[in-house]
Amino acid sequence: MRYKRIHQNSILKFMRNKIGIVILIFSFSSVFSQNDVSPFIYVLGNVQDAGLPHIGCESKICLDAFNEKKKHYVTSIALIDKENQEYSLFDVTPNITEQLLMIRRDIFNKYILPKNIFITHAHIGHYTGLMYFGREALGSKGIKVNVLPRMYDFISNNGPWSQLVELGNISLNEINFRDNIKIKPNLSVIPIQVPHRDEFSETSAFLIKGPNKTALFLPDIDKWSKWSISLIEMLRNVDYAFLDATFYTNDEINRDIEEIPHPLVIETMDLLSELPDYQKDKVYFIHMNHTNQMLDANSDISRSVLKKGFNIARLGQKFSL
Ligand SMILES: [Zn+2]
Ligand SMILES: [Zn+2]
């Protein structure tokens, strides 16, 4: 894990240097300096839409996840603004109940609902958690859900989602690609279109701009070559990039992978292989299918990804903005 790695590096520096204590403090705080005013990203899940355990899966990773009660949640991140005691949620997963409890336990020490929700697209892991805001569950009032135009129509015109709008459980706000959506004077979100299987909605990535740093949240895309933007160029302009890592290789599932295209992690690493280390270090792979051994932090594949200079997003990680 990143913290561990940084911590070990820091201790090495400490041992090698007589003024190590200064360096130790400096290098630890440069990764994540949490104070009352700096916003940060908090990782609420890193699994592909269908979660872990995965329905129909009897492999060890699914049975372990089930038996050991080790928590694995579907991909989502929160943008935490502790100063104002509020946060924005990026994607609303079927694990929303647990994920909001994580925020209560680890961040605010009290139950706070999201001030803003941003949804990437209408695939099951990314929006169906909305159902828990409805009459059968929370019965919330006016939670602001920011969606792109096709997603706006999809939710407005199809039950059960339309009932959330009719009852006022959620308040839909239509946004457009490239809008600069100000959450606070020093916090903004920019939706960016990405090519994906757009059956019910368009698909968005989000640029999240903080006072000092920018993050890219891009959990789903068909292929980097289909994108109008160069990933390498994008990486130059961000500090963290949470990127689609659904499949590590194309032989890990017994279905036609052409029907569910994603950039394979080996392809993404290959595409970025010539970049300097500090650019690779911005990448945090996320949205891993239950077949992807990167979900197991101790697997050989996880180790080899880290060794190549990339990172893997893990539950509970924090990133200063
Ligand atoms: Zn997905
Ligand atoms: Zn998708």
Side-chain angles (χ1 to χ4, degrees):
M1 273 179 73
R2 179 171 174 80
Y3 279 172
K4 205 170 169 189
R5 224 175 70 215
I6 297 293
H7 189 63
Q8 282 167 348
N9 287 345
S10 304
I11 289 168
L12 279 176
K13 283 181 194 165
F14 175 77
M15 286 158 55
R16 283 187 199 136
N17 198 314
K18 282 183 182 161
I19 54 165
I21 191 77
V22 178
I23 294 172
L24 178 68
I25 291 164
F26 175 75
S27 35
F28 206 69
S29 64
S30 64
V31 183
F32 177 67
S33 54
Q34 189 180 356
N35 56 45
D36 283 346
V37 292
S38 63
F40 61 94
I41 281 174
Y42 180 53
V43 176
L44 294 169
N46 62 358
V47 188
Q48 179 269 356
D49 300 47
L52 185 70
H54 185 281
I55 188 165
C57 167
E58 295 179 281
S59 68
K60 186 175 183 313
I61 193 165
C62 289
L63 295 179
D64 281 353
F66 176 61
N67 290 327
E68 291 175 16
K69 296 198 167 58
K70 196 179 170 200
K71 302 298 181 193
H72 295 275
Y73 300 138
V74 174
T75 297
S76 172
I77 61 173
L79 168 61
I80 308 283
D81 175 8
K82 245 188 145 177
E83 185 187 16
N84 294 295
Q85 294 278 291
E86 58 190 46
Y87 65 96
S88 299
L89 207 56
F90 291 82
D91 281 341
V92 194
T93 83
N95 299 130
I96 181 76
T97 304
E98 292 85 357
Q99 288 169 324
L100 295 194
L101 281 172
M102 273 180 72
I103 291 175
R104 176 191 177 277
R105 181 192 64 194
D106 299 341
I107 310 294
F108 295 114
N109 211 20
K110 62 179 175 182
Y111 205 90
I112 299 177
L113 291 170
K115 175 97 172 172
N116 268 290
I117 289 174
F118 292 88
I119 293 179
T120 55
H121 65 302
H123 283 163
I124 65 167
H126 302 267
Y127 79 102
T128 58
L130 284 175
M131 63 190 172
Y132 291 103
F133 294 133
R135 188 174 254 170
E136 305 92 324
L138 185 66
S140 60
K141 286 195 170 48
I143 293 184
K144 188 173 175 186
V145 180
N146 300 281
V147 283
L148 290 138
R150 273 189 72 200
M151 188 75 185
Y152 188 101
D153 288 343
F154 173 71
I155 290 182
S156 304
N157 297 317
N158 294 284
W161 321 109
S162 52
Q163 183 173 280
L164 298 169
V165 180
E166 284 153 21
L167 296 179
N169 301 126
I170 62 172
S171 166
L172 282 188
N173 180 45
E174 186 169 315
I175 57 175
N176 288 286
F177 291 124
R178 300 275 168 188
D179 281 354
N180 188 4
I181 303 147
K182 289 260 178 216
I183 297 178
K184 287 276 170 300
N186 64 358
L187 274 184
S188 62
V189 175
I190 302 173
I192 303 207
Q193 187 161 24
V194 293
H196 191 39
R197 299 172 284 112
D198 293 344
E199 300 95 337
F200 299 110
S201 74
E202 60 281 269
T203 301
S204 185
F206 291 106
L207 272 177
I208 304 164
K209 293 185 168 232
N212 302 304
K213 291 185 174 175
T214 299
L216 171 70
F217 180 59
L218 195 162
D220 267 288
I221 187 169
D222 282 358
K223 288 288 174 192
W224 299 120
S225 58
K226 291 189 192 170
W227 202 18
S228 57
I229 297 171
S230 146
L231 175 61
I232 290 173
E233 194 59 40
M234 179 59 88
L235 272 182
R236 288 199 186 103
N237 294 304
V238 301
D239 299 281
Y240 316 109
F242 299 93
L243 301 184
D244 182 342
T246 309
F247 304 117
Y248 184 75
T249 58
N250 62 4
D251 56 3
E252 65 190 65
I253 56 164
N254 54 7
R255 281 163 57 185
D256 183 2
I257 208 159
E258 299 299 315
E259 289 173 8
I260 38 175
H262 288 273
L264 305 171
V265 173
I266 50 170
E267 291 173 348
T268 305
M269 292 195 299
D270 199 41
L271 176 68
L272 306 177
S273 62
E274 300 299 316
L275 291 180
D277 289 349
Y278 78 96
Q279 295 281 19
K280 292 181 190 167
D281 193 42
K282 295 175 177 178
V283 173
Y284 282 78
F285 287 113
I286 202 164
H287 190 275
M288 290 159 279
N289 195 50
H290 67 288
T291 51
N292 186 337
Q293 291 177 40
M294 288 162 66
L295 280 171
D296 175 1
N298 296 315
S299 69
D300 290 344
I301 284 178
S302 285
R303 273 193 273 271
S304 82
V305 170
L306 300 188
K307 209 170 160 197
K308 288 191 169 81
F310 302 98
N311 302 288
I312 302 169
R314 301 287 180 203
L315 196 67
Q317 279 177 326
K318 297 172 182 170
F319 300 85
S320 298
L321 287 181

